Amino acid sequence: MMGTEYWGWAGEAHLREHGESGGAVSGLLASVLSSYDEVIVIRKTGTVFEAEVHTLDSPQGIARVQGALHAVSIELSHYLQLGRKTAIVLKPCEARAVIENIKRNHVRREDVLLIGLNCGGTLPPVKTKEYLRTQFGVSPGDIAKEEIAKGNLIFFTTDGQELSRSIDELEEAGYGRRESCRYCDVKIPSMCDIACGNWGTPAEKHITFLEVFTDAGAAALEAAVDGGYVSVSEPGEKLAAVRKKIEGIMVKMAKGWQEKMLGPFMAMEPKERLDAIHAALAPCIGCYACRKACPVCKCGDDCKCFQADPDDQLPISMFHAVRFLHLMESCVGCGQCSDACPMEIPLAHLHQLFAKAYEGRTGYKPGMSCGDIPPLSRGDFPEGY
Amino acid sequence: MTFEPKIIAFLCNWCSYGAADMAGTSRLQYPPNVRIIRFMCSGRIDPNFVIEAFLRGADGVMMTGCHIGDCHYIDGNYKTVHRYEFLKDYLDTLGIGSERLTLAWCSAAEGAKFAQTVADFTEQIRRLGPSPFKERGQ
Amino acid sequence: MISLKVTNSHCPGCSLLCGVQMIEREGLLDVEFMKDCDINSGKLCRFGIELARYYGELQTSALAGGREVSYEEAVTLAAKALSSSRGAGVALCTGDATTEELYALSLFADAAGLATTLGLGHHMHAVGLEAFHKTVTHPDVLDHAQMIVLVDIDPAYQYPLLARRLMLVREQGTTIVSIGPEKEHLSFYTDARYPCHPSRTVDALRAFVEHAMPHALYVVPCGMYGDAALTAQVNNICAATSSRALFVTDFANVRGGLALGMESLSHGIDGLVASIEAGDVTSLVLVESPLFSSYLDDARFWAACETLDALVVLQSHRCEAYPPNAIVLPLPPFYQRKGTLRNVCNRRLVLSGEAEGAVAVLRDLGAAMGHGLSPFDAVAKEARSLCDAWYETVATFTPVELPPQAGVEGPCHRYVPNPYLVRGMPNPRSKRVGLDLYAVAKGKERYVIREDVAEDVVFAYEKDPRYTLPLQPYE
């Protein structure tokens, strides 16, 4: 094959027309169906806010799962099982969680084909529905599609309207993307086998930008091209550069949000910060939903975060204190914990506070490469001792 | 009334506990603020123990063991170092402060060093004051 | 290919009916967060998170005389027992059933000559069905009230997703006030608290009505062991101030059953037990009513049940044990059923399973007794239209007389909410709470005494005073 970057589209005309940006992902899925035990995707089940996890078992099913869903943030990495050959379509946060799970032997790298999707962020469904209702008088069933493009959130209604607002404006007003998405700085999932997206492609031309990162990805793409499922060409040089530029802009925006959301905590005096963390955790009712939602928490019922009796009245419960410690080296910033917390505790911010502080000091970033050894697992000779 | 720190010290069975023993048999004085918990190896010190110690009211925590290269189990204390480094970042971010945690190597013959280390650390914690967890209504 | 089945469902833990997706994957069940659900935005309390465990404890086989029998045999035996029973009979459902199933139960009871009751006996007796009916008219009622009054309830303990809604509306400017025993988490979502002893809550309410705003919303817990006098007093306040009330229960679809007129008894479960002991009631049909494992005075209830001519139990969640004369007919778990539900805010919800559940079993039972039941779709249609029509009627509260109230002695601050009042809620990870608190909780009181609490300490759920702000003691 020519290089690591391509423009791609589905070989089959129907998939190309209805697929997101030319359906290259759909074509890839059609190609890998027969060589994997399981192919895991998300399927829309009603309005653009309703979806479920789905295993593809026939080429006919592919047409039903086409189309990006920005208002859905199901964490698919939970569905991988050890020992099963699986192809899975993932956002960067999910892919990073898979990498963390691979590091801890919950999944084997060679068993999974990670088809990554570029991601600018997802929307919280209930808040977004409320926004559409109050600002535009539009109900969920009226929305055909949504898109995030050029700094705007655009809703396309079934009767052809385009409802667009600047993401910045929305987010200042408390709407827009989920908070953890705003300061996520991994927009192109380079830890996957292939990353797919529409940055760096000519508009309206039904083309996906594909970047291949691994041999397995290259082999999968080659097989898809040979089988007629996907067609590829060299990407236009200028547009390929535009892709990098967009990524850069989005990462810069993310750093800005990180400063805004986590900066105040880091700027506090230690005692003040401890008090702020204590106060943030005070409403906790001990439901453990955060742990259930967390894609890197795979310890099972005998997890160390449960080692202390919850009836012990500790200033901060051991459950949280231990998770802060463990997630300092493994939190991928997916925000599922905040999504799951019934008492609206900003857990994602708290865990990212630790993870980003650690990353800032040591450069260790969870979920980027299977070869990175988690700090708490290290047993090598310590330098300087 | 001066503040009397509560220090929890995790000692390894071979070197640092031997050092404490030697301090005792040599009648070396060191502050009684320290409570000793013995492990077979400093590499057994789960970071959670340190966290729990602070949450249950310790003002300072000591992790001690054999010198690098002298570990009874060869490389157990390598892990101790990695965990200690990780814990320092954790304690700083949490707001307890990494100054309340220390790592010290004491061989079984270094009774005096052990006593001195405990004394120094106790003073350090005394200067730092009570753990920030305890400053409400106690 | 490998199977993965997703069923959109609602959690049966309480009357909020939080949205949840059940995931079945090669025989293993798990939950997924239904983030687009307007009730809970996908979030779940401890009960919801552990739903897979709850649904794993199934009554899989039919039982008769303490041994496993075939379903057909059990149906025949049950029909025979019911037909030949001497005195009056009662059909009871605490509320973990779809509206269609509840309607099927009421039709079956009509045909078989049984009285029907939903498991809220005391409360309905105190105020009549009308008060429950006339509570709310809009699913977003929490957003529209200017003032919300919590009456003897700590939502964070029993109904966390309700606590969340309160936190959110408070941010929008709603005033939230609490009357009743002081509870731990109330400070997170109340603007003012009027702490008082559980037995004096009614008096406090009476005093409060002078300050009460019109068009307020009262939130009252309304389980099997709740205070009927409280319910009646709230009803009276609503009548006086054009307010509304949310009677929150620990069972899923009581509200569906209210619409079907399922209260032909004039007393609650205590009264039912008394009737059985007196020999007036000799047959009992229990649908999804886990009274053998969750009724506080289960020894007395059990003993009464043993004297029945016919004890027929339709159950999906397995009870640890049943009286020897019980004929048990298994139901598919709640999430597998099809049908509609009404939550505490009157939201009309759909269960997306495929099983008819109790509708099918009651049809079989009825057929064995010589009376037929229409096919599911016909039953469903009638049930839904009855339910919808009932809920469309305009609400008014009429004042009622307060029933006599059983108070609890002693200073309030020694009490914690009885863990049996909520479903399996004491923390499963807790090593200490479980045994001693359960032992004490078996006494028949709404609050249980903790002897080891220091004077002048007010607490709700074992929060150590060393790490909380000291609260003002009250007598």
Side-chain angles (χ1 to χ4, degrees), chain A residues 226-304:
Chain A
D226 289 345
Y229 295 101
V230 173
S231 303
V232 294
S233 75
E234 278 262 13
E237 216 179 280
K238 256 176 63 184
L239 280 170
V242 165
R243 176 173 174 267
K244 281 288 170 208
K245 198 152 150 245
I246 296 178
E247 185 193 15
I249 293 171
M250 299 216 63
V251 169
K252 187 152 161 251
M253 275 171 56
K255 300 273 190 233
W257 272 107
Q258 187 182 315
E259 186 47 49
K260 225 186 293 197
M261 311 213 84
L262 304 182
F265 277 101
M266 285 320 292
M268 288 178 188
E269 289 298 313
K271 174 71 170 65
E272 210 190 326
R273 187 160 54 244
L274 178 64
D275 284 343
I277 294 174
H278 177 269
L281 289 175
C284 174
I285 55 170
C287 64
Y288 307 127
C290 50
R291 183 178 165 275
K292 181 158 184 75
C294 178
V296 304
C297 278
K298 290 258 181 286
C299 290
D301 276 352
D302 52 0
C303 178
K304 285 186 185 171

Side-chain angles (χ1 to χ4, degrees), chain A residues 140-199:
Chain A
D142 298 333
I143 301 293
K145 203 170 135 56
E146 74 298 319
E147 210 173 279
I148 300 180
K150 295 195 170 62
N152 290 323
L153 174 58
I154 312 168
F155 288 97
F156 300 91
T157 63
T158 45
D159 58 4
Q161 284 183 71
E162 249 184 63
L163 310 168
S164 175
R165 278 282 185 283
S166 131
I167 291 247
D168 273 343
E169 243 180 72
L170 282 173
E171 289 172 2
E172 293 302 326
Y175 294 109
R177 297 167 298 170
R178 294 158 72 240
E179 286 185 354
S180 46
C181 294
R182 297 180 203 170
Y183 58 83
C184 171
D185 53 12
V186 181
K187 303 303 192 193
I188 296 179
S190 53
M191 71 296 299
C192 290
D193 293 294
I194 307 175
C196 316
N198 67 0
W199 300 340

Side-chain angles (χ1 to χ4, degrees), chain C residues 103-428:
Chain C
Y103 186 55
L105 181 62
S106 71
L107 292 175
F108 173 82
D110 276 345
L114 305 170
T116 51
T117 182
L118 286 177
L120 285 183
H122 315 290
H123 302 269
M124 309 234 243
H125 171 56
V127 304
L129 272 181
E130 302 309 298
F132 281 83
H133 166 197
K134 326 288 189 183
T135 52
V136 295
T137 52
H138 194 278
D140 295 327
V141 63
L142 284 161
D143 300 317
H144 296 158
Q146 273 190 292
M147 175 184 271
I148 299 180
V149 183
L150 305 177
V151 183
D152 190 15
I153 185 173
D154 179 8
Y157 178 53
Q158 291 166 267
Y159 312 103
L161 276 309
L162 180 59
R164 175 180 169 263
R165 293 293 299 281
L166 294 174
M167 283 195 314
L168 294 176
V169 300
R170 186 155 170 251
E171 276 165 29
Q172 306 300 321
T174 307
T175 309
I176 303 188
V177 155
S178 152
I179 299 176
E182 179 72 346
K183 306 251 175 71
E184 179 199 334
H185 274 85
L186 284 175
S187 54
F188 294 115
Y189 38 77
T190 50
D191 296 295
R193 304 197 298 284
Y194 301 92
C196 64
H197 186 279
S199 69
R200 285 195 217 112
T201 312
V202 173
D203 296 327
L205 267 181
R206 234 185 243 126
F208 181 77
V209 86
E210 287 153 31
H211 313 285
M213 286 171 72
H215 309 298
L217 179 69
Y218 289 78
V219 181
V220 193
C222 200
M224 290 192 295
Y225 314 107
D227 190 343
L230 259 187
T231 311
Q233 182 57 18
V234 168
N235 168 81
N236 293 345
I237 293 180
C238 291
T241 61
S242 305
S243 295
R244 295 277 175 268
L246 279 183
F247 294 121
V248 193
T249 67
D250 296 329
F251 295 98
N253 189 32
V254 170
R255 301 203 64 87
L258 293 177
L260 306 173
M262 283 187 65
E263 186 55 23
S264 41
L265 281 190
S266 61
H267 47 234
I269 293 174
D270 295 341
L272 176 60
V273 174
S275 302
I276 298 175
E277 286 168 342
D280 298 327
V281 169
T282 56
S283 60
L284 184 60
V285 176
L286 292 176
V287 176
E288 288 289 43
S289 302
L291 297 173
F292 301 116
S293 43
S294 70
Y295 186 57
L296 283 183
D297 201 357
D298 51 11
R300 185 175 164 223
F301 182 70
W302 186 289
C305 284
E306 280 187 351
T307 67
L308 290 166
D309 290 343
L311 174 60
V312 181
V313 181
L314 276 66
Q315 190 74 8
S316 68
H317 186 244
R318 181 181 69 231
C319 293
E320 285 113 35
Y322 301 94
N325 59 329
I327 301 168
V328 181
L329 298 164
L331 293 176
F334 191 73
Y335 75 93
Q336 281 180 6
R337 303 190 210 152
K338 57 179 168 176
T340 53
L341 308 163
R342 288 266 178 178
N343 83 344
V344 69
C345 295
N346 259 5
R347 226 176 261 276
R348 193 175 178 286
L349 301 164
V350 175
L351 275 188
S352 320
E354 284 144 13
E356 291 186 14
V359 177
V361 176
L362 289 166
R363 180 184 304 118
D364 293 341
L365 202 48
M369 289 172 74
H371 43 85
L373 186 72
S374 310
F376 182 86
D377 290 337
V379 169
K381 192 154 164 235
E382 259 176 65
R384 284 170 212 173
S385 73
L386 277 174
C387 194
D388 291 348
W390 200 74
Y391 278 106
E392 271 155 34
T393 331
V394 174
T396 49
F397 283 93
T398 44
V400 297
E401 212 180 278
L402 263 67
Q405 185 189 3
V408 202
E409 298 306 320
C412 165
H413 59 255
R414 288 169 171 259
Y415 291 85
V416 293
N418 188 326
Y420 269 106
L421 299 183
V422 301
R423 290 213 272 190
M425 281 295 106
N427 199 311

Side-chain angles (χ1 to χ4, degrees), chain A residues 33 36-38 40 45 49-57 73-75 78-81 84 125-126 129 178 278-279 282-289 291-293 301 306-315 336 338-344, chain C residues 1-4 6-8 21 23 25-26 28 30-33 35-46 49-50 53 140 156-157 160-161 163-164 167-168 184-185 188-189 427-434 461-467:
Chain A
L33 256 180
Y36 283 88
D37 296 333
E38 198 167 28
I40 301 177
T45 52
F49 302 99
E50 297 168 277
E52 64 187 25
V53 59
H54 181 65
T55 49
L56 269 180
D57 48 17
S73 50
I74 297 176
E75 187 63 32
H78 285 295
Y79 294 95
L80 288 174
Q81 290 199 346
R84 183 173 294 173
V126 171
K129 286 195 284 184
R178 294 158 72 240
H278 177 269
C284 174
I285 55 170
C287 64
Y288 307 127
R291 183 178 165 275
K292 181 158 184 75
D301 276 352
F306 293 136
Q307 74 180 36
D309 192 325
D311 293 321
D312 290 346
Q313 273 73 48
L314 301 173
Q336 295 291 322
S338 288
D339 283 355
C341 179
M343 301 309 281
E344 300 290 339
Chain C
M1 279 260 140
I2 289 147
S3 74
L4 192 158
V6 183
T7 308
N8 285 337
Q21 279 187 342
I23 310 280
R25 195 163 156 78
E26 289 130 58
L28 289 178
D30 203 354
V31 298
E32 178 63 80
F33 302 97
K35 294 190 188 179
D36 63 286
C37 182
D38 291 324
I39 300 169
N40 59 322
S41 298
K43 296 156 193 270
L44 297 168
C45 74
R46 203 183 308 137
I49 292 290
E50 309 254 308
R53 202 186 302 249
D140 295 327
Y157 178 53
L161 276 309
R164 175 180 169 263
M167 283 195 314
L168 294 176
E184 179 199 334
H185 274 85
F188 294 115
Y189 38 77
N427 199 311
R429 310 285 170 200
S430 163
K431 297 163 198 114
R432 285 199 311 239
V433 163
Y461 192 46
E462 293 111 16
K463 188 83 169 178
D464 188 298
R466 281 178 294 169
Y467 298 110

Side-chain angles (χ1 to χ4, degrees), chain C residues 59-134:
Chain C
Q59 181 64 47
T60 43
S61 54
L63 300 174
R67 54 181 181 92
E68 272 183 37
V69 296
S70 74
Y71 173 74
E72 291 73 22
E73 202 184 328
V75 168
T76 313
L77 285 169
K80 202 157 132 219
L82 283 170
S83 305
S84 61
S85 139
R86 297 163 285 140
V90 173
L92 161 67
C93 179
T94 48
D96 275 348
T98 61
T99 304
E100 291 77 0
E101 289 174 306
L102 290 170
Y103 186 55
L105 181 62
S106 71
L107 292 175
F108 173 82
D110 276 345
L114 305 170
T116 51
T117 182
L118 286 177
L120 285 183
H122 315 290
H123 302 269
M124 309 234 243
H125 171 56
V127 304
L129 272 181
E130 302 309 298
F132 281 83
H133 166 197
K134 326 288 189 183

